[in-house]
Amino acid sequence: MPSPAGITELRKSTHAIPDATVARLPIYHRVLTSLLESGVESVSSHELAEVCGVNSAKLRKDLSHLGSYGTRGVGYRVEYLLFQIAREIGYAQDWPVVIVGVGNLGNALAGYAGSADRGFRIVGLIDSDADLVGQTIAGVEVRDLVELETVIAEHSASIGVIATPASAAQAVCDRLVASGVTSILNFAPSVLTVPQGVDVRKVDLGTELQILAFHQQQRAEGLRTGKTSKRTSPSPALENIS
Amino acid sequence: MPSPAGITELRKSTHAIPDATVARLPIYHRVLTSLLESGVESVSSHELAEVCGVNSAKLRKDLSHLGSYGTRGVGYRVEYLLFQIAREIGYAQDWPVVIVGVGNLGNALAGYAGSADRGFRIVGLIDSDADLVGQTIAGVEVRDLVELETVIAEHSASIGVIATPASAAQAVCDRLVASGVTSILNFAPSVLTVPQGVDVRKVDLGTELQILAFHQQQRAEGLRTGKTSKRTSPSPALENIS
DNA sequence: GAACGCTTGTGAACGATCGCACAAAGTCTG
DNA sequence: CAGACTTTGTGCGATCGTTCACAAGCGTTC
């Protein structure tokens, strides 16, 4: 996907679900939840794929990695499939998450992951700004940076989010790892170095914009040379006509 | 008489750059900028790859798609390479960007893309909240949602960012597209449907967290079944262990 | 200027992912 | 209960991306 790629060491311990599939499961989950709320009881791979913006064969193959939860000639029972996906991605686990850096971005994240019960619980908001420390955001009190290790230990958090300026990212990362965090979501525009066994995913707003700008530029050049581009809905990338 | 070889030749001049490479160019650009500021004049693919967190062969192949800008036996001249990458990704173009939805996320984006000259210029901040309209954020005045089309037309913006709640995303998207926007960065957790020719990239904070949670769960299961990930050796090489 | 060491650029093998197309397996109808 | 119809699950080839390994090229040294 597009997309950002996480370094994943160690896998295959269970039944090896491809990374590309894992990246799509949350989308299926969200759409299925929406369908369930709409009272839909059964759905075919074509219908579901349409709404999720993917190929129906891809969707079926993705689901087949979890098991055979469909019924031939009928489709998938929404509630059952939803349950199976939720179980697979650890939806019900309520993972404790610590967010470091409570600027606008950290704030947005706190509200996002904290409000809807998405399987996460914000157990720590941490910032070095004395004006922020002590405030309560999304029901959680902001703690000082020096308490980072304490907060993590208190809740046995294993997932950390870095929403600090780039200059602080590596230092924060090191402290997270030293405290036992093994999964990190990094929003700072910097490359993090971590020991083996730690999973880092990077989301870079600037990079995303620049990728769009690149495609936009290609399109402009394409117009100049008389090329047209066609593309349907989701998924990035431009067209390459032979 | 047009031969297939001729077509291949033509393709090279425009975009023969793989998506995966495009996604990494902004990272190279950022690291090179940093190196330039540090006074580094020349860098080898190994050094640069190390800092960027990628394989050196991959980096060389990525750069080779832009042209032969290195010197064998020496490496790459930082300033020259930086210029070439900047040109390729349209860094100097100062793309006009419109952001719809000025919540925490929109705010963060405005500050991010607006401050550092990353090749973008925020020309419009749009929200439907009357309390926000009229405020100035990152040097730009927030305009009402009804003015969306006007703002886009004013600046001929072709890149739009959706940072609204999911419920509003598709409607906003439709209006952006109708106004001529052909590149959209979507932060709302919803699948957008767009006509052909429009490029959509999706950044979903919840999905990213859930992917991390999945890996975390896999790790936990691995531990429970007694399977530990060996290979703790920090040295390179030593890949094939049976 | 020839020999040597270093680094780029790239052909080729490999691996992951995608999408087609179809058999398998179910429902429905008469 | 047989045959028509529907939809899943998947084998297989095509495509895309990564990594290896090495020839080609550059600078330096003797």
Side-chain angles (χ1 to χ4, degrees):
Chain A
M1 154 98 290
S3 71
I7 311 160
T8 311
E9 203 61 35
L10 104 86
R11 66 184 68 140
K12 197 165 273 191
S13 51
T14 48
H15 31 72
I17 298 180
D19 286 340
T21 295
V22 172
R24 285 185 292 265
L25 288 180
I27 294 154
Y28 302 155
H29 186 274
R30 178 175 306 132
V31 170
L32 283 168
T33 301
S34 167
L35 287 177
L36 186 66
E37 285 169 359
S38 306
V40 179
E41 294 192 348
S42 184
V43 68
S44 75
S45 65
H46 282 273
E47 294 163 348
L48 187 53
E50 167 81 24
V51 186
C52 294
V54 300
N55 183 294
S56 70
K58 179 153 56 176
L59 184 134
R60 286 198 301 277
K61 187 156 285 185
D62 282 346
L63 295 183
S64 77
H65 287 296
L66 314 186
S68 284
Y69 298 137
T71 307
R72 296 177 190 226
V74 178
Y76 300 90
R77 274 170 46 217
V78 172
E79 193 171 1
Y80 184 54
L81 184 55
L82 194 50
F83 171 77
Q84 293 297 343
I85 293 178
R87 185 180 51 75
E88 196 68 43
I89 62 179
Y91 190 87
Q93 295 249 7
D94 231 37
W95 299 93
V97 174
V98 170
I99 298 177
V100 185
V102 193
N104 281 318
L105 192 55
N107 232 299
L109 268 162
Y112 189 79
S115 68
D117 61 327
R118 298 196 163 281
F120 304 104
R121 196 175 67 253
I122 307 293
V123 297
L125 290 175
I126 293 167
D127 205 294
S128 60
D129 185 346
D131 292 342
L132 282 170
V133 174
Q135 286 191 21
T136 297
I137 293 171
V140 180
E141 186 189 350
V142 178
R143 310 269 291 267
D144 192 273
L145 183 56
V146 298
E147 296 188 81
L148 184 142
E149 287 79 6
T150 313
V151 173
I152 292 175
E154 265 174 20
H155 299 92
S156 304
S158 53
I159 299 179
V161 177
I162 298 178
T164 67
S167 53
Q170 184 63 58
V172 167
C173 174
D174 292 343
R175 289 176 63 183
L176 287 174
V177 171
S179 306
V181 168
T182 47
S183 293
I184 294 175
L185 184 53
N186 178 31
F187 286 90
S190 67
V191 180
L192 294 181
T193 304
V194 296
Q196 292 175 350
V198 176
D199 191 7
V200 175
R201 286 190 72 83
K202 187 177 149 194
V203 175
D204 192 327
L205 313 183
T207 297
E208 296 298 327
L209 274 177
Q210 283 178 329
I211 293 171
L212 278 181
F214 174 83
H215 289 316
Q216 191 69 38
Q217 177 169 279
Q218 292 293 304
R219 203 165 322 188
E221 284 175 8
L223 279 181
R224 211 177 306 143
T225 55
K227 279 196 175 181
T228 32
S229 69
K230 52 172 181 178
R231 198 82 206 171
T232 43
S233 37
S235 156
L238 279 184
E239 187 61 26
N240 185 2
I241 305 172
S242 55
Chain B
M1 185 159 90
S3 68
I7 294 172
T8 308
E9 207 73 22
L10 259 173
R11 192 167 53 85
K12 203 173 127 196
S13 62
T14 51
H15 59 87
I17 301 185
D19 287 338
T21 295
V22 172
R24 284 185 292 264
L25 289 181
I27 294 156
Y28 303 155
H29 185 276
R30 179 175 306 131
V31 170
L32 283 168
T33 302
S34 168
L35 287 177
L36 186 65
E37 285 169 0
S38 305
V40 179
E41 294 192 349
S42 183
V43 68
S44 75
S45 65
H46 283 273
E47 293 164 348
L48 186 54
E50 167 83 23
V51 186
C52 295
V54 300
N55 184 296
S56 71
K58 179 152 54 176
L59 184 133
R60 285 199 301 277
K61 184 150 284 189
D62 282 346
L63 295 184
S64 78
H65 288 295
L66 314 187
S68 283
Y69 298 136
T71 308
R72 296 177 192 227
V74 178
Y76 300 90
R77 272 170 48 216
V78 172
E79 194 171 0
Y80 184 52
L81 184 56
L82 194 51
F83 170 77
Q84 294 297 343
I85 293 178
R87 184 180 51 76
E88 195 69 43
I89 62 179
Y91 190 88
Q93 295 250 5
D94 231 39
W95 299 93
V97 174
V98 170
I99 298 177
V100 185
V102 193
N104 281 317
L105 193 54
N107 232 297
L109 269 161
Y112 189 78
S115 68
D117 60 328
R118 298 197 162 282
F120 304 104
R121 196 175 66 253
I122 308 293
V123 297
L125 290 175
I126 294 168
D127 204 296
S128 60
D129 185 347
D131 292 342
L132 282 171
V133 174
Q135 287 191 20
T136 297
I137 293 170
V140 180
E141 187 189 350
V142 178
R143 310 269 290 266
D144 192 273
L145 183 57
V146 299
E147 297 188 81
L148 185 142
E149 287 78 7
T150 313
V151 173
I152 292 175
E154 266 173 19
H155 300 90
S156 304
S158 54
I159 299 180
V161 177
I162 298 178
T164 67
S167 54
Q170 184 64 57
V172 167
C173 174
D174 291 344
R175 289 176 62 184
L176 287 174
V177 171
S179 306
V181 168
T182 47
S183 293
I184 294 175
L185 183 54
N186 178 30
F187 286 90
S190 67
V191 180
L192 295 181
T193 303
V194 295
Q196 293 179 346
V198 177
D199 189 8
V200 175
R201 287 190 71 85
K202 187 178 149 194
V203 175
D204 191 328
L205 312 185
T207 297
E208 296 299 326
L209 274 178
Q210 283 179 329
I211 293 171
L212 278 181
F214 174 83
H215 290 314
Q216 191 68 39
Q217 177 170 277
Q218 292 292 305
R219 204 166 322 190
E221 283 175 7
L223 282 180
R224 206 180 311 138
T225 56
K227 284 196 177 181
T228 18
S229 73
K230 42 189 172 182
R231 70 169 63 183
T232 340
S233 144
S235 81
L238 280 180
E239 285 297 318
N240 280 334
I241 306 174
S242 55

